[in-house]
Amino acid sequence: MTEKKKIIGISWNVFLLGIVSFLNDMSSEMIAPIVPSYLTDILRINKALSGSLMGLIESLSSLFKVAFGYISDRFRERKLFVAFGYLFSTVAKGALAFTHAWWDFLSLRVLDRVGKGIRTAPRDALIAESSEKGKSGKSFGFHRMMDTMGAVAGPLVAIGILALLRNYAKVEAYRYVFLLSAVPGIIGVLIVLFLVKDTGKEVKKKITGISALKSKNLRLFLIVVAIGALGRYSYAFIMWKAEELGYSVVQSLAFYALFNVIYALSAYPIGVRSDKVGKKRVITLGFGVATLAALTFALANTLPTLILGFVLYGIYLAIEDTIPRAYMADLAREFEKGMVIGAYHTVFGLFVFPASVIAGFLWQNYSLEYAFLYAAFMSAVAMVLMSFVGED
């Protein structure tokens, strides 16, 4: 670990990175809940293309993660990549205020995802290197908790802005939200630049040794990750589900905030628990919860069942967005944490895109119910296959 100073039981670096993620996710989630409506109502994009665009956007960032994870290992520079990654994303989100067609919207969202691709693996490696041995689940759990608290705050801020701008045309109100989303992002970039301490240069460069990526167990886990990712539908689909049941965009923001509250409250205790009971067991449980969440959305036709779907979705994301990172960090050797964690993100991202394309196709040609049933099936398969992965 790069430093002795702690706050609330975690390193100062992990705490600061949690604050940065809170601010960045507040920025992202100010715009995320209105993007589905912006695509279909303002830019007039059809359902299948909307689903494909959302999947493409979420997938693209992962394509860069293994590369920049490797580069940060090679040059032993974490902080620089983290800062520039956040900066690219912040600029791209603010610039959405000036989009008028699907192609310029997509270009900026791609830039945002490139920023995420640049920063994610180096940041996760920095978190792992700033954590106590055997406490990676706790550190990643705290980080995801802070990240998701930003996701709770973001929609609430967006609701407030839209309420203040209720007399404006929808397109104008949306553009103001996009522009204001850059403010917390800029603050986060400044924290990384001036307060976060780098760890890359402290990593001993061990050229000899076998990479963890050559482990059969790790390769099998990445196969499971790929299958699980094929059942990972974009958040846009659950927003569209709420709208399909007759809820307005503003009401849907409340549902969105709900699942993020569940996510935020669950991530830290789940991370701590995974350090005690084993990360494999918790990941397996996550796929089970994912199956239940998708089935609930498929069958939801009342407010209680819809709320249950959002709750289960929040628990599922709290597990699957947190524990696999810690699992990969534990398996990685000291000199390759960025690359190994990046490999996880890349495999995940490669298979998230076809998942949303398939879900969009099923929605366009059949119904949202079939899209969620497909997701439930893939998550169930991943849960079963986790039994063949060795213990961590």
Side-chain angles (χ1 to χ4, degrees), residues 244-276:
E244 186 179 85
L245 293 179
Y247 296 97
S248 68
V249 173
V250 173
Q251 289 171 323
S252 296
L253 288 175
F255 290 125
Y256 190 79
L258 170 65
F259 99 73
N260 277 302
V261 167
I262 299 300
Y263 186 153
L265 293 176
S266 303
Y268 185 63
I270 286 172
V272 172
R273 188 65 180 168
S274 73
D275 289 330
K276 298 178 180 179

Side-chain angles (χ1 to χ4, degrees), residues 34-70:
I34 65 174
V35 162
S37 175
Y38 187 74
L39 286 173
T40 55
D41 297 343
I42 306 301
L43 300 185
R44 303 294 182 184
I45 301 174
N46 67 40
K47 296 175 180 178
L49 181 56
S50 293
S52 297
L53 284 176
M54 294 304 296
L56 177 62
I57 289 165
E58 295 196 11
S59 177
L60 276 174
S61 66
S62 297
L63 302 181
F64 298 94
K65 290 174 182 176
V66 67
F68 283 100
Y70 171 78

Side-chain angles (χ1 to χ4, degrees), residues 33-268:
I34 65 174
V35 162
S37 175
Y38 187 74
L39 286 173
T40 55
D41 297 343
I42 306 301
L43 300 185
R44 303 294 182 184
I45 301 174
N46 67 40
K47 296 175 180 178
L49 181 56
S50 293
S52 297
L53 284 176
M54 294 304 296
L56 177 62
I57 289 165
E58 295 196 11
S59 177
L60 276 174
S61 66
S62 297
L63 302 181
F64 298 94
K65 290 174 182 176
V66 67
F68 283 100
Y70 171 78
I71 293 170
S72 74
D73 286 336
R74 184 80 175 177
F75 293 97
R76 287 178 278 176
E77 292 282 353
R78 308 287 194 210
K79 178 175 169 177
L80 184 64
F81 291 104
V82 176
F84 274 103
Y86 278 122
L87 180 61
F88 286 174
S89 294
T90 296
V91 171
K93 283 177 286 195
L96 287 174
F98 307 103
T99 57
H100 292 88
W102 70 266
W103 55 267
D104 55 357
F105 172 88
L106 178 61
S107 298
L108 288 171
R109 294 301 282 162
V110 168
L111 179 60
D112 177 18
R113 298 298 88 182
V114 169
K116 186 173 183 179
I118 291 172
R119 72 177 181 260
T120 299
R123 183 204 62 206
D124 285 353
L126 200 161
I127 291 172
E129 291 162 359
S130 300
S131 303
E132 289 184 70
K133 186 175 182 180
K135 297 293 181 66
S136 62
K138 181 179 182 180
S139 293
F140 280 99
F142 174 80
H143 180 263
R144 298 310 302 169
M145 177 188 72
M146 293 299 293
D147 183 273
T148 311
M149 285 176 65
V152 173
L156 296 178
V157 173
I159 290 173
I161 294 172
L162 292 175
L164 290 172
L165 302 176
R166 59 185 176 276
N167 294 325
Y168 285 66
K170 182 186 287 188
V171 62
E172 293 180 5
Y174 284 179
R175 293 190 193 286
Y176 275 114
V177 174
F178 290 146
L179 196 59
L180 291 172
S181 72
V183 175
I186 291 171
I187 297 172
V189 172
L190 294 175
I191 291 175
V192 173
L193 287 174
F194 296 108
L195 296 178
V196 171
K197 295 182 179 179
D198 209 344
T199 60
K201 294 186 183 302
E202 298 177 18
V203 176
K204 295 178 181 178
K205 195 65 179 176
K206 298 179 181 178
I207 303 300
T208 59
I210 300 174
S211 169
L213 290 174
K214 295 185 178 181
S215 160
K216 290 183 179 179
N217 186 56
L218 187 52
R219 290 181 179 181
L220 177 58
F221 176 65
L222 289 177
I223 291 173
V224 176
V225 167
I227 293 171
L230 284 173
R232 177 70 173 264
Y233 44 92
S234 166
Y235 75 90
F237 285 91
I238 65 175
M239 302 295 287
W240 284 320
K241 178 66 177 183
E243 291 183 25
E244 186 179 85
L245 293 179
Y247 296 97
S248 68
V249 173
V250 173
Q251 289 171 323
S252 296
L253 288 175
F255 290 125
Y256 190 79
L258 170 65
F259 99 73
N260 277 302
V261 167
I262 299 300
Y263 186 153
L265 293 176
S266 303
Y268 185 63

